Amino acid sequence: MRVKDDTKISTIFEATVELTSEVGLNKLTMSSIAEKAQLASGTLYIYFDSKEKLLNELYKHLLVRGTLSLLPSVQHLPLKKQFWVIWSNVLKFRVSNSSEVVFMHQFRYSSYVSEETNELDEQFLSYLKTMLNKGKEELIVKNIDNRLMISLLYGYANTFSRQLVKDKIELTDSLMEQSFRVCWDAIKS
Amino acid sequence: MRVKDDTKISTIFEATVELTSEVGLNKLTMSSIAEKAQLASGTLYIYFDSKEKLLNELYKHLLVRGTLSLLPSVQHLPLKKQFWVIWSNVLKFRVSNSSEVVFMHQFRYSSYVSEETNELDEQFLSYLKTMLNKGKEELIVKNIDNRLMISLLYGYANTFSRQLVKDKIELTDSLMEQSFRVCWDAIKS
Amino acid sequence: MRVKDDTKISTIFEATVELTSEVGLNKLTMSSIAEKAQLASGTLYIYFDSKEKLLNELYKHLLVRGTLSLLPSVQHLPLKKQFWVIWSNVLKFRVSNSSEVVFMHQFRYSSYVSEETNELDEQFLSYLKTMLNKGKEELIVKNIDNRLMISLLYGYANTFSRQLVKDKIELTDSLMEQSFRVCWDAIKS
Amino acid sequence: MRVKDDTKISTIFEATVELTSEVGLNKLTMSSIAEKAQLASGTLYIYFDSKEKLLNELYKHLLVRGTLSLLPSVQHLPLKKQFWVIWSNVLKFRVSNSSEVVFMHQFRYSSYVSEETNELDEQFLSYLKTMLNKGKEELIVKNIDNRLMISLLYGYANTFSRQLVKDKIELTDSLMEQSFRVCWDAIKS
DNA sequence: GATGAATGAGATTTCATTCAT
DNA sequence: GATGAATGAAATCTCATTCAT
């Protein structure tokens, strides 16, 4: 399995993402994915062992592309700057990849999620924790339970970007700054 | 004649909620609900026309019980106090009804949601908007786009309560206060 | 069973007949009959052992009322006159009881028909045969296989009356006479 | 790739026809059709969207095969000859395809019949009307309402062929001629 | 007798997966 | 590898019948 035709995998991923945002994760069938990707349904099984595998692979792919890939490039920056870069990039990614985000959200809370996927999810959180801890040391972040602040950042980004997409609001620089100020006010010391 | 039993609807609702938090909204079948509620599968259809109807009714029921029913009792309070009461109650409700919250979350982003249910959802948001506007007038709330602050409050409450449940953390008074301070800092002027 | 409340049986019969002509014999459910008759579904089972019994009883009832009850009163008449009286009465009955005829027709060729009902059906045919035989003796009826002529009379009456009802044509005296002439021409010697 | 097999539709049609004549249109289930046709039940839905579609397609198929396909070849013949050819062929078809006729009859008066099927049914009737009109012009057919004569021809053919099958009577040339004479006497001028 | 809620077998239909070509 | 017809388990839903009241 795999390394057969990377284009085909992309096609399948795109079809899955589009369909999910159109009809929802329930009602998403392998046949409909195949049809949208202009493939035979059997072909899906050449690239993925099962529906569950396909969805998990897709989720991981999106997670890496939209979030994890961001981290290496910001590690050298000062802390508040790091938050800002991550915040603005996550927001931008989410708004310009809204179908992907719909998929990720619906998938994240479905029972398709495998143990392995769950673990991957922790990586980003763990990075945030490290950042918050450093912030506490530098006395610029509130000295309170990390989980609390992470929930705020995570939930806010999620909900806000979803709303932008739902109401078709353009993500201006001003909106990005305003929204960042709000969450910085929340966690700053 | 056997009398149509009001507790039966509760039994069905409870079974549905429990099952969803156990196996997820996909994999939730009418037969499994019937079995868990110790009813014949046909009986479900006496009380609800279809699976979709059942789920929507349940969601509405939970929404009213967990959020909307709260609003009348706080309207006379000063604004920050209102926020506090709502915040603490929503958190308490969500933590002590974690299965219900799992259901609500999974249902909310499924394609089972009917138009009517969607509208009900707006009621709470609309109340929050009114509160924020009053806060702006009183100069105690930031004069920025409501949607931004609502996303923060909404997303935070969602994510934080989910995390508490997931990690089995007890919701102490101190945790409630800390979490409130964070979000108040975010929106206060 | 029975002799409990004859009004109730009539009500059930009427409801069944109306419903069948509205929605067809398939799609006819015991609950819908009960609803139309403004009874509880359980009540149907006080008067009839099963759906099959109900339908067979109704068919027999209609057969006697619409056809068999006619025969005694014509036996003394001359042959052609007998044919005419039967023809005109059958036609009149069928046109003014079109729902009943729809029921009879759909039921007749369904697999609900019991052995006993089948036998009752033969009674009318057997009377017709006797008439045709007498006609042959009197040399006014073609000397050919009875089954052939019976099919013609039977099928014609059936189809013609159905068409009158379907196209909402009034059954005038002239139409009755014309139609009789046609079938008399067919069988007359 | 397994190739979509044209004979499969025939197999399904045959199974449906046989089953209907065995157990009746009510009691006819998709599973039983599948079993008789030695297919998985899901396979039926590859060829037909629903039970209703299957039955309508089958009816149309039989109608064309048994009646409509006959018409082109007789158009050049003199009128009485046309009647004769149609009569004898319809009779022969119906007797040697008795199961098909049972299906057609039960289906025709069920509520499965779609609007489209209804229209197809009119084609044959409309051809008969044209023939009768020509017959009137040539002064060889009674100058009376067509519907009356059509009912006779149609109802007679139906009923007579059903009786032949039911009583297992062989359709001899003599029987065919006798039966034709009867109906010709009915409509001739 | 009358009611109608409850039952559960069974109907139609869907869909992840397999497999012959 | 690619195809899509075929599979059949399982889902949703229906309905004749029963039975507690």
Side-chain angles (χ1 to χ4, degrees), chain D residues 127-144:
Chain D
Y127 188 83
L128 276 186
K129 270 180 212 160
T130 316
M131 283 177 70
L132 290 170
N133 287 338
K134 225 192 295 172
K136 288 177 187 171
E137 281 172 29
E138 299 181 15
L139 302 178
I140 56 178
V141 163
K142 283 194 176 78
N143 190 20
I144 55 176

mmCIF file with all atom_site columns, all heavy atoms in Angstrom, chain D residues 127-144:
data_model
loop_
_atom_site.group_PDB
_atom_site.id
_atom_site.type_symbol
_atom_site.label_atom_id
_atom_site.label_alt_id
_atom_site.label_comp_id
_atom_site.label_asym_id
_atom_site.label_entity_id
_atom_site.label_seq_id
_atom_site.pdbx_PDB_ins_code
_atom_site.Cartn_x
_atom_site.Cartn_y
_atom_site.Cartn_z
_atom_site.occupancy
_atom_site.B_iso_or_equiv
_atom_site.pdbx_formal_charge
_atom_site.auth_seq_id
_atom_site.auth_comp_id
_atom_site.auth_asym_id
_atom_site.auth_atom_id
_atom_site.pdbx_PDB_model_num
ATOM 1   N N   . TYR D 1 127 ? -54.513 2.849  -30.074 1.00 0.00 ? 127 TYR D N   1
ATOM 2   C CA  . TYR D 1 127 ? -54.475 2.149  -31.359 1.00 0.00 ? 127 TYR D CA  1
ATOM 3   C C   . TYR D 1 127 ? -55.816 1.480  -31.649 1.00 0.00 ? 127 TYR D C   1
ATOM 4   O O   . TYR D 1 127 ? -56.342 1.536  -32.769 1.00 0.00 ? 127 TYR D O   1
ATOM 5   C CB  . TYR D 1 127 ? -53.359 1.111  -31.370 1.00 0.00 ? 127 TYR D CB  1
ATOM 6   C CG  . TYR D 1 127 ? -53.158 0.493  -32.736 1.00 0.00 ? 127 TYR D CG  1
ATOM 7   C CD1 . TYR D 1 127 ? -52.390 1.140  -33.696 1.00 0.00 ? 127 TYR D CD1 1
ATOM 8   C CD2 . TYR D 1 127 ? -53.763 -0.722 -33.079 1.00 0.00 ? 127 TYR D CD2 1
ATOM 9   C CE1 . TYR D 1 127 ? -52.224 0.599  -34.960 1.00 0.00 ? 127 TYR D CE1 1
ATOM 10  C CE2 . TYR D 1 127 ? -53.601 -1.271 -34.336 1.00 0.00 ? 127 TYR D CE2 1
ATOM 11  C CZ  . TYR D 1 127 ? -52.824 -0.611 -35.283 1.00 0.00 ? 127 TYR D CZ  1
ATOM 12  O OH  . TYR D 1 127 ? -52.673 -1.144 -36.531 1.00 0.00 ? 127 TYR D OH  1
ATOM 13  N N   . LEU D 1 128 ? -56.380 0.862  -30.633 1.00 0.00 ? 128 LEU D N   1
ATOM 14  C CA  . LEU D 1 128 ? -57.679 0.214  -30.802 1.00 0.00 ? 128 LEU D CA  1
ATOM 15  C C   . LEU D 1 128 ? -58.742 1.224  -31.241 1.00 0.00 ? 128 LEU D C   1
ATOM 16  O O   . LEU D 1 128 ? -59.563 0.952  -32.129 1.00 0.00 ? 128 LEU D O   1
ATOM 17  C CB  . LEU D 1 128 ? -58.126 -0.431 -29.487 1.00 0.00 ? 128 LEU D CB  1
ATOM 18  C CG  . LEU D 1 128 ? -57.599 -1.828 -29.165 1.00 0.00 ? 128 LEU D CG  1
ATOM 19  C CD1 . LEU D 1 128 ? -58.255 -2.361 -27.897 1.00 0.00 ? 128 LEU D CD1 1
ATOM 20  C CD2 . LEU D 1 128 ? -57.866 -2.794 -30.327 1.00 0.00 ? 128 LEU D CD2 1
ATOM 21  N N   . LYS D 1 129 ? -58.695 2.407  -30.639 1.00 0.00 ? 129 LYS D N   1
ATOM 22  C CA  . LYS D 1 129 ? -59.670 3.452  -31.000 1.00 0.00 ? 129 LYS D CA  1
ATOM 23  C C   . LYS D 1 129 ? -59.575 3.779  -32.477 1.00 0.00 ? 129 LYS D C   1
ATOM 24  O O   . LYS D 1 129 ? -60.585 3.891  -33.179 1.00 0.00 ? 129 LYS D O   1
ATOM 25  C CB  . LYS D 1 129 ? -59.410 4.711  -30.168 1.00 0.00 ? 129 LYS D CB  1
ATOM 26  C CG  . LYS D 1 129 ? -60.179 4.724  -28.855 1.00 0.00 ? 129 LYS D CG  1
ATOM 27  C CD  . LYS D 1 129 ? -59.888 5.999  -28.063 1.00 0.00 ? 129 LYS D CD  1
ATOM 28  C CE  . LYS D 1 129 ? -59.964 5.680  -26.579 1.00 0.00 ? 129 LYS D CE  1
ATOM 29  N NZ  . LYS D 1 129 ? -59.251 6.670  -25.761 1.00 0.00 ? 129 LYS D NZ  1
ATOM 30  N N   . THR D 1 130 ? -58.338 3.955  -32.942 1.00 0.00 ? 130 THR D N   1
ATOM 31  C CA  . THR D 1 130 ? -58.143 4.261  -34.350 1.00 0.00 ? 130 THR D CA  1
ATOM 32  C C   . THR D 1 130 ? -58.750 3.166  -35.231 1.00 0.00 ? 130 THR D C   1
ATOM 33  O O   . THR D 1 130 ? -59.426 3.451  -36.235 1.00 0.00 ? 130 THR D O   1
ATOM 34  C CB  . THR D 1 130 ? -56.634 4.377  -34.663 1.00 0.00 ? 130 THR D CB  1
ATOM 35  O OG1 . THR D 1 130 ? -56.024 5.126  -33.627 1.00 0.00 ? 130 THR D OG1 1
ATOM 36  C CG2 . THR D 1 130 ? -56.410 5.047  -35.997 1.00 0.00 ? 130 THR D CG2 1
ATOM 37  N N   . MET D 1 131 ? -58.502 1.944  -34.850 1.00 0.00 ? 131 MET D N   1
ATOM 38  C CA  . MET D 1 131 ? -59.057 0.829  -35.625 1.00 0.00 ? 131 MET D CA  1
ATOM 39  C C   . MET D 1 131 ? -60.587 0.877  -35.651 1.00 0.00 ? 131 MET D C   1
ATOM 40  O O   . MET D 1 131 ? -61.213 0.708  -36.710 1.00 0.00 ? 131 MET D O   1
ATOM 41  C CB  . MET D 1 131 ? -58.611 -0.507 -35.032 1.00 0.00 ? 131 MET D CB  1
ATOM 42  C CG  . MET D 1 131 ? -57.183 -0.881 -35.370 1.00 0.00 ? 131 MET D CG  1
ATOM 43  S SD  . MET D 1 131 ? -56.739 -2.444 -34.553 1.00 0.00 ? 131 MET D SD  1
ATOM 44  C CE  . MET D 1 131 ? -57.726 -3.623 -35.476 1.00 0.00 ? 131 MET D CE  1
ATOM 45  N N   . LEU D 1 132 ? -61.176 1.101  -34.490 1.00 0.00 ? 132 LEU D N   1
ATOM 46  C CA  . LEU D 1 132 ? -62.638 1.129  -34.429 1.00 0.00 ? 132 LEU D CA  1
ATOM 47  C C   . LEU D 1 132 ? -63.193 2.265  -35.291 1.00 0.00 ? 132 LEU D C   1
ATOM 48  O O   . LEU D 1 132 ? -64.195 2.090  -36.003 1.00 0.00 ? 132 LEU D O   1
ATOM 49  C CB  . LEU D 1 132 ? -63.094 1.283  -32.981 1.00 0.00 ? 132 LEU D CB  1
ATOM 50  C CG  . LEU D 1 132 ? -62.860 0.050  -32.096 1.00 0.00 ? 132 LEU D CG  1
ATOM 51  C CD1 . LEU D 1 132 ? -63.111 0.362  -30.630 1.00 0.00 ? 132 LEU D CD1 1
ATOM 52  C CD2 . LEU D 1 132 ? -63.741 -1.112 -32.545 1.00 0.00 ? 132 LEU D CD2 1
ATOM 53  N N   . ASN D 1 133 ? -62.531 3.414  -35.238 1.00 0.00 ? 133 ASN D N   1
ATOM 54  C CA  . ASN D 1 133 ? -62.994 4.538  -36.054 1.00 0.00 ? 133 ASN D CA  1
ATOM 55  C C   . ASN D 1 133 ? -62.955 4.206  -37.537 1.00 0.00 ? 133 ASN D C   1
ATOM 56  O O   . ASN D 1 133 ? -63.892 4.510  -38.282 1.00 0.00 ? 133 ASN D O   1
ATOM 57  C CB  . ASN D 1 133 ? -62.140 5.774  -35.783 1.00 0.00 ? 133 ASN D CB  1
ATOM 58  C CG  . ASN D 1 133 ? -62.447 6.369  -34.422 1.00 0.00 ? 133 ASN D CG  1
ATOM 59  O OD1 . ASN D 1 133 ? -63.532 6.136  -33.875 1.00 0.00 ? 133 ASN D OD1 1
ATOM 60  N ND2 . ASN D 1 133 ? -61.505 7.118  -33.871 1.00 0.00 ? 133 ASN D ND2 1
ATOM 61  N N   . LYS D 1 134 ? -61.858 3.581  -37.935 1.00 0.00 ? 134 LYS D N   1
ATOM 62  C CA  . LYS D 1 134 ? -61.779 3.191  -39.352 1.00 0.00 ? 134 LYS D CA  1
ATOM 63  C C   . LYS D 1 134 ? -62.899 2.212  -39.685 1.00 0.00 ? 134 LYS D C   1
ATOM 64  O O   . LYS D 1 134 ? -63.551 2.310  -40.718 1.00 0.00 ? 134 LYS D O   1
ATOM 65  C CB  . LYS D 1 134 ? -60.407 2.569  -39.648 1.00 0.00 ? 134 LYS D CB  1
ATOM 66  C CG  . LYS D 1 134 ? -59.811 3.113  -40.936 1.00 0.00 ? 134 LYS D CG  1
ATOM 67  C CD  . LYS D 1 134 ? -58.600 2.328  -41.410 1.00 0.00 ? 134 LYS D CD  1
ATOM 68  C CE  . LYS D 1 134 ? -57.418 2.436  -40.449 1.00 0.00 ? 134 LYS D CE  1
ATOM 69  N NZ  . LYS D 1 134 ? -56.336 1.510  -40.831 1.00 0.00 ? 134 LYS D NZ  1
ATOM 70  N N   . GLY D 1 135 ? -63.151 1.306  -38.762 1.00 0.00 ? 135 GLY D N   1
ATOM 71  C CA  . GLY D 1 135 ? -64.231 0.339  -38.948 1.00 0.00 ? 135 GLY D CA  1
ATOM 72  C C   . GLY D 1 135 ? -65.587 1.007  -39.111 1.00 0.00 ? 135 GLY D C   1
ATOM 73  O O   . GLY D 1 135 ? -66.426 0.583  -39.912 1.00 0.00 ? 135 GLY D O   1
ATOM 74  N N   . LYS D 1 136 ? -65.794 2.072  -38.348 1.00 0.00 ? 136 LYS D N   1
ATOM 75  C CA  . LYS D 1 136 ? -67.061 2.808  -38.487 1.00 0.00 ? 136 LYS D CA  1
ATOM 76  C C   . LYS D 1 136 ? -67.162 3.432  -39.870 1.00 0.00 ? 136 LYS D C   1
ATOM 77  O O   . LYS D 1 136 ? -68.206 3.391  -40.522 1.00 0.00 ? 136 LYS D O   1
ATOM 78  C CB  . LYS D 1 136 ? -67.154 3.890  -37.411 1.00 0.00 ? 136 LYS D CB  1
ATOM 79  C CG  . LYS D 1 136 ? -67.394 3.330  -36.012 1.00 0.00 ? 136 LYS D CG  1
ATOM 80  C CD  . LYS D 1 136 ? -67.390 4.462  -34.976 1.00 0.00 ? 136 LYS D CD  1
ATOM 81  C CE  . LYS D 1 136 ? -67.445 3.920  -33.567 1.00 0.00 ? 136 LYS D CE  1
ATOM 82  N NZ  . LYS D 1 136 ? -67.216 4.986  -32.565 1.00 0.00 ? 136 LYS D NZ  1
ATOM 83  N N   . GLU D 1 137 ? -66.059 4.038  -40.329 1.00 0.00 ? 137 GLU D N   1
ATOM 84  C CA  . GLU D 1 137 ? -66.056 4.645  -41.666 1.00 0.00 ? 137 GLU D CA  1
ATOM 85  C C   . GLU D 1 137 ? -66.391 3.615  -42.731 1.00 0.00 ? 137 GLU D C   1
ATOM 86  O O   . GLU D 1 137 ? -67.145 3.884  -43.665 1.00 0.00 ? 137 GLU D O   1
ATOM 87  C CB  . GLU D 1 137 ? -64.679 5.241  -41.977 1.00 0.00 ? 137 GLU D CB  1
ATOM 88  C CG  . GLU D 1 137 ? -64.454 6.599  -41.323 1.00 0.00 ? 137 GLU D CG  1
ATOM 89  C CD  . GLU D 1 137 ? -63.005 7.044  -41.519 1.00 0.00 ? 137 GLU D CD  1
ATOM 90  O OE1 . GLU D 1 137 ? -62.398 6.653  -42.536 1.00 0.00 ? 137 GLU D OE1 1
ATOM 91  O OE2 . GLU D 1 137 ? -62.485 7.750  -40.629 1.00 0.00 ? 137 GLU D OE2 1
ATOM 92  N N   . GLU D 1 138 ? -65.812 2.446  -42.575 1.00 0.00 ? 138 GLU D N   1
ATOM 93  C CA  . GLU D 1 138 ? -66.057 1.385  -43.565 1.00 0.00 ? 138 GLU D CA  1
ATOM 94  C C   . GLU D 1 138 ? -67.407 0.712  -43.340 1.00 0.00 ? 138 GLU D C   1
ATOM 95  O O   . GLU D 1 138 ? -67.732 -0.282 -44.005 1.00 0.00 ? 138 GLU D O   1
ATOM 96  C CB  . GLU D 1 138 ? -64.928 0.349  -43.472 1.00 0.00 ? 138 GLU D CB  1
ATOM 97  C CG  . GLU D 1 138 ? -63.546 0.916  -43.778 1.00 0.00 ? 138 GLU D CG  1
ATOM 98  C CD  . GLU D 1 138 ? -62.453 -0.156 -43.702 1.00 0.00 ? 138 GLU D CD  1
ATOM 99  O OE1 . GLU D 1 138 ? -62.806 -1.354 -43.700 1.00 0.00 ? 138 GLU D OE1 1
ATOM 100 O OE2 . GLU D 1 138 ? -61.271 0.215  -43.648 1.00 0.00 ? 138 GLU D OE2 1
ATOM 101 N N   . LEU D 1 139 ? -68.160 1.203  -42.379 1.00 0.00 ? 139 LEU D N   1
ATOM 102 C CA  . LEU D 1 139 ? -69.506 0.692  -42.068 1.00 0.00 ? 139 LEU D CA  1
ATOM 103 C C   . LEU D 1 139 ? -69.518 -0.775 -41.637 1.00 0.00 ? 139 LEU D C   1
ATOM 104 O O   . LEU D 1 139 ? -70.549 -1.455 -41.761 1.00 0.00 ? 139 LEU D O   1
ATOM 105 C CB  . LEU D 1 139 ? -70.448 0.876  -43.263 1.00 0.00 ? 139 LEU D CB  1
ATOM 106 C CG  . LEU D 1 139 ? -70.622 2.317  -43.753 1.00 0.00 ? 139 LEU D CG  1
ATOM 107 C CD1 . LEU D 1 139 ? -71.549 2.348  -44.980 1.00 0.00 ? 139 LEU D CD1 1
ATOM 108 C CD2 . LEU D 1 139 ? -71.193 3.217  -42.651 1.00 0.00 ? 139 LEU D CD2 1
ATOM 109 N N   . ILE D 1 140 ? -68.393 -1.270 -41.140 1.00 0.00 ? 140 ILE D N   1
ATOM 110 C CA  . ILE D 1 140 ? -68.407 -2.669 -40.695 1.00 0.00 ? 140 ILE D CA  1
ATOM 111 C C   . ILE D 1 140 ? -68.419 -2.774 -39.163 1.00 0.00 ? 140 ILE D C   1
ATOM 112 O O   . ILE D 1 140 ? -68.534 -3.857 -38.608 1.00 0.00 ? 140 ILE D O   1
ATOM 113 C CB  . ILE D 1 140 ? -67.201 -3.463 -41.251 1.00 0.00 ? 140 ILE D CB  1
ATOM 114 C CG1 . ILE D 1 140 ? -65.876 -2.779 -40.869 1.00 0.00 ? 140 ILE D CG1 1
ATOM 115 C CG2 . ILE D 1 140 ? -67.307 -3.632 -42.750 1.00 0.00 ? 140 ILE D CG2 1
ATOM 116 C CD1 . ILE D 1 140 ? -64.656 -3.549 -41.360 1.00 0.00 ? 140 ILE D CD1 1
ATOM 117 N N   . VAL D 1 141 ? -68.287 -1.634 -38.498 1.00 0.00 ? 141 VAL D N   1
ATOM 118 C CA  . VAL D 1 141 ? -68.314 -1.648 -37.032 1.00 0.00 ? 141 VAL D CA  1
ATOM 119 C C   . VAL D 1 141 ? -69.484 -0.775 -36.557 1.00 0.00 ? 141 VAL D C   1
ATOM 120 O O   . VAL D 1 141 ? -69.783 0.244  -37.168 1.00 0.00 ? 141 VAL D O   1
ATOM 121 C CB  . VAL D 1 141 ? -66.976 -1.121 -36.470 1.00 0.00 ? 141 VAL D CB  1
ATOM 122 C CG1 . VAL D 1 141 ? -67.113 -0.730 -35.001 1.00 0.00 ? 141 VAL D CG1 1
ATOM 123 C CG2 . VAL D 1 141 ? -65.880 -2.170 -36.631 1.00 0.00 ? 141 VAL D CG2 1
ATOM 124 N N   . LYS D 1 142 ? -70.125 -1.209 -35.492 1.00 0.00 ? 142 LYS D N   1
ATOM 125 C CA  . LYS D 1 142 ? -71.271 -0.472 -34.937 1.00 0.00 ? 142 LYS D CA  1
ATOM 126 C C   . LYS D 1 142 ? -70.895 0.984  -34.673 1.00 0.00 ? 142 LYS D C   1
ATOM 127 O O   . LYS D 1 142 ? -69.815 1.288  -34.156 1.00 0.00 ? 142 LYS D O   1
ATOM 128 C CB  . LYS D 1 142 ? -71.684 -1.080 -33.596 1.00 0.00 ? 142 LYS D CB  1
ATOM 129 C CG  . LYS D 1 142 ? -72.466 -2.365 -33.666 1.00 0.00 ? 142 LYS D CG  1
ATOM 130 C CD  . LYS D 1 142 ? -73.107 -2.658 -32.301 1.00 0.00 ? 142 LYS D CD  1
ATOM 131 C CE  . LYS D 1 142 ? -73.990 -3.892 -32.319 1.00 0.00 ? 142 LYS D CE  1
ATOM 132 N NZ  . LYS D 1 142 ? -73.238 -5.169 -32.281 1.00 0.00 ? 142 LYS D NZ  1
ATOM 133 N N   . ASN D 1 143 ? -71.808 1.892  -34.976 1.00 0.00 ? 143 ASN D N   1
ATOM 134 C CA  . ASN D 1 143 ? -71.536 3.306  -34.755 1.00 0.00 ? 143 ASN D CA  1
ATOM 135 C C   . ASN D 1 143 ? -71.909 3.723  -33.330 1.00 0.00 ? 143 ASN D C   1
ATOM 136 O O   . ASN D 1 143 ? -72.813 4.528  -33.119 1.00 0.00 ? 143 ASN D O   1
ATOM 137 C CB  . ASN D 1 143 ? -72.292 4.149  -35.777 1.00 0.00 ? 143 ASN D CB  1
ATOM 138 C CG  . ASN D 1 143 ? -71.845 5.590  -35.714 1.00 0.00 ? 143 ASN D CG  1
ATOM 139 O OD1 . ASN D 1 143 ? -70.767 5.887  -35.199 1.00 0.00 ? 143 ASN D OD1 1
ATOM 140 N ND2 . ASN D 1 143 ? -72.677 6.493  -36.211 1.00 0.00 ? 143 ASN D ND2 1
ATOM 141 N N   . ILE D 1 144 ? -71.205 3.141  -32.367 1.00 0.00 ? 144 ILE D N   1
ATOM 142 C CA  . ILE D 1 144 ? -71.475 3.492  -30.966 1.00 0.00 ? 144 ILE D CA  1
ATOM 143 C C   . ILE D 1 144 ? -70.176 3.883  -30.258 1.00 0.00 ? 144 ILE D C   1
ATOM 144 O O   . ILE D 1 144 ? -69.088 3.737  -30.819 1.00 0.00 ? 144 ILE D O   1
ATOM 145 C CB  . ILE D 1 144 ? -72.125 2.316  -30.206 1.00 0.00 ? 144 ILE D CB  1
ATOM 146 C CG1 . ILE D 1 144 ? -71.247 1.075  -30.335 1.00 0.00 ? 144 ILE D CG1 1
ATOM 147 C CG2 . ILE D 1 144 ? -73.519 2.049  -30.721 1.00 0.00 ? 144 ILE D CG2 1
ATOM 148 C CD1 . ILE D 1 144 ? -71.755 -0.098 -29.538 1.00 0.00 ? 144 ILE D CD1 1
#
